[in-house]
């Protein structure tokens, strides 16, 4: 054997052992996932208990004690830039006061804002007195205390306003969808509250109480749900998106006004973004521009939502708010065998705009599982060219389905096989996510399943901003 052939043999043997070692390491690293077309389908094994409602006598549903005590307290952003808050609550015995007393941690000088109350009937149900009060002219980045129930039994809460809108303002959003009021819902909310990343505002992607799953759309379930989430929603804003369980359209019992309970109970600052309906609107918060769309309102050409969105997208100034986030209920890219293609008509209408305006991320719910897409678009099709396959597109958003809040309908476990190339990661577990903006170029995203400890990231990725740093983030590109 010549020196050269010996060297070649050693090299080949070395390569063989290196390949074997690499194979073993890769097997160990990826033993929890199945690869298909480059995406990952988690085979994480979870206990498949039935999803069960918490009993009505559970402490999470407890009515606060005292005559006419305010209950179901929740807050949301009250203007376009984060200097106002809408405070909402319900009194059951009599209207009582719609006043909110509030003061900043620094000034201690109590101010007063006057709100209004409303009521509604739904079949055989009559609501309590639903109060909404906007408190404005708040200082940015300031802790405020507030009191509701003036004149009867007062209750005190607090919140912190966001920093002034600007391109490098860090901010941490929580993502929850399709929550409901089961033991799993409680687990999701607890995991969000205990997550050490400390979400500052919840972006809620629709389907709140699931009251319409009870006989005659038992609207008492809207009340129990709002009491359940008060422990978070009274202290930090929840940004609301309407889902199909908010429609409450029930002609069989004479209820023909869509979204009646939802729009009476959840006010949003839609007029501040020139919207004409509370089901689609936008806000700026810190370094994010958040657009909320309605999957269940008309969105075709010439409709109010379409006109609004067409005028809205050019207004987004990425030098002021680098992060463009869209919330909707029905996902456009979903590879589960549930609600498949329900988002398709809206995708056909709006996807070219999302690519043109370089939306960073779209969060949706509806499918009761978790999925994250690659950056893909499917906008080349024009009926005659046959080009209808999603392709990698660095101007396209990442699509995330986070409808895994834990509602009574249970998990979506059946997936289309093989996993489509557009699907980067999918798993049928309950959980929540965190979108943690660091600066104008980077945001860290993580998904947290309920079966793990509070700090565990079951899926994560670094987002590179599409305006300031539009390079490929996918692992295969690095
Ligand atoms: Fe839904």
């Amino acid at each position: 054997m010549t020196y050269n052939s010996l060297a070649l043999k050693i090299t080949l043997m070395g390569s063989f052992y290196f390949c074997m070692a690499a194979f073993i390491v890769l097997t160990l690293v990826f033993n929890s996932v199945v690869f298909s077309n480059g995406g990952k389908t988690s085979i994480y094994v979870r206990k498949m208990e039935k999803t069960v409602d918490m009993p009505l006598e559970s402490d999470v549903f407890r009515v606060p004690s005292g005559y006419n005590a305010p209950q179901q307290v929740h807050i949301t952003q009250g203007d376009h830039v984060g200097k106002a808050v809408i405070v909402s609550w319900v009194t059951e015995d009599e209207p009582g006061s719609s006043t909110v007393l509030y003061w900043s941690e620094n000034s201690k000088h109590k101010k007063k804002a006057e709100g209004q109350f409303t009521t509604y009937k739904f079949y055989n149900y009559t609501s309590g007195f639903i109060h909404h009060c906007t408190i404005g002219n708040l200082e940015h980045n300031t802790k405020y205390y507030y009191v509701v129930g003036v004149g009867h039994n007062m209750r005190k809460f607090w919140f912190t306003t966001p920093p002034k809108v600007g391109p490098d303002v860090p901010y941490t959003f929580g993502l929850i969808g399709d929550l409901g009021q089961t033991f799993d819902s409680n687990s999701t909310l607890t995991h969000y509250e205990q997550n050490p990343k400390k979400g500052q505002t919840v972006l809620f992607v629709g389907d709140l109480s699931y009251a319409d799953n009870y006989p005659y759309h038992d609207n008492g379930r809207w009340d129990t749900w709002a009491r359940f989430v008060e422990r978070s929603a009274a202290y930090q804003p929840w940004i609301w998106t309407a889902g199909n369980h908010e429609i409450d359209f029930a002609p069989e019992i004479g209820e023909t006004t869509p979204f009646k309970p939802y729009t009476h109970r959840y006010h949003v600052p839609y007029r501040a973004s020139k919207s004409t309906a509370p089901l689609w609107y936008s806000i700026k918060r810190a370094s994010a521009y958040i657009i909320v769309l309605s999957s269940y309102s008309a969105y075709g050409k010439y409709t109010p939502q379409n006109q609004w969105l067409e005028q809205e997208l050019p207004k987004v100034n990425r030098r002021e708010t680098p992060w463009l986030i869209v919330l909707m209920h029905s996902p456009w890219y979903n590879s589960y065998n549930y609600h498949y293609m329900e988002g398709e008509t809206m995708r056909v209408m709006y996807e070219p705009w999302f690519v043109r305006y370089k939306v960073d991320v779209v969060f949706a719910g509806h499918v009761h599982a978790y999925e994250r897409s690659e950056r893909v678009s499917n906008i080349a099709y024009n009926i005659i060219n046959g080009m209808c396959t999603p392709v990698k597109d660095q101007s396209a958003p990442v699509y995330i389905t986070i409808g895994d809040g834990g509602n009574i309908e249970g998990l979506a476990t059946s997936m289309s096989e093989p996993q489509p190339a557009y699907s980067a990661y999918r798993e049928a577990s309950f959980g929540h996510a965190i979108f943690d903006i660091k600066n104008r170029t980077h945001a860290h995203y993580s998904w947290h399943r309920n079966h793990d400890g509070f700090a565990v990231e079951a899926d994560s990725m670094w987002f590179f901003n599409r305006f300031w740093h539009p390079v490929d983030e996918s692992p295969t590109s690095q």
Side-chain angles (χ1 to χ4, degrees), residues 178 206-207 210 243-245 296 329 339 365-368 409:
D178 303 67
D207 283 0
Y210 289 74
N244 54 305
H245 288 278
Y296 307 102
H329 186 62
H339 305 304
H366 202 35
V367 177
H368 301 155
E409 295 174 356

Side-chain angles (χ1 to χ4, degrees), residues 31-50:
N31 68 347
S32 63
V33 296
V34 173
F35 285 93
S36 167
N37 286 336
K40 301 172 194 172
T41 297
S42 172
I43 53 167
Y44 174 81
V45 178
R46 68 202 65 77
K47 283 198 300 181
M48 291 297 288
E49 315 97 334
K50 197 170 164 3

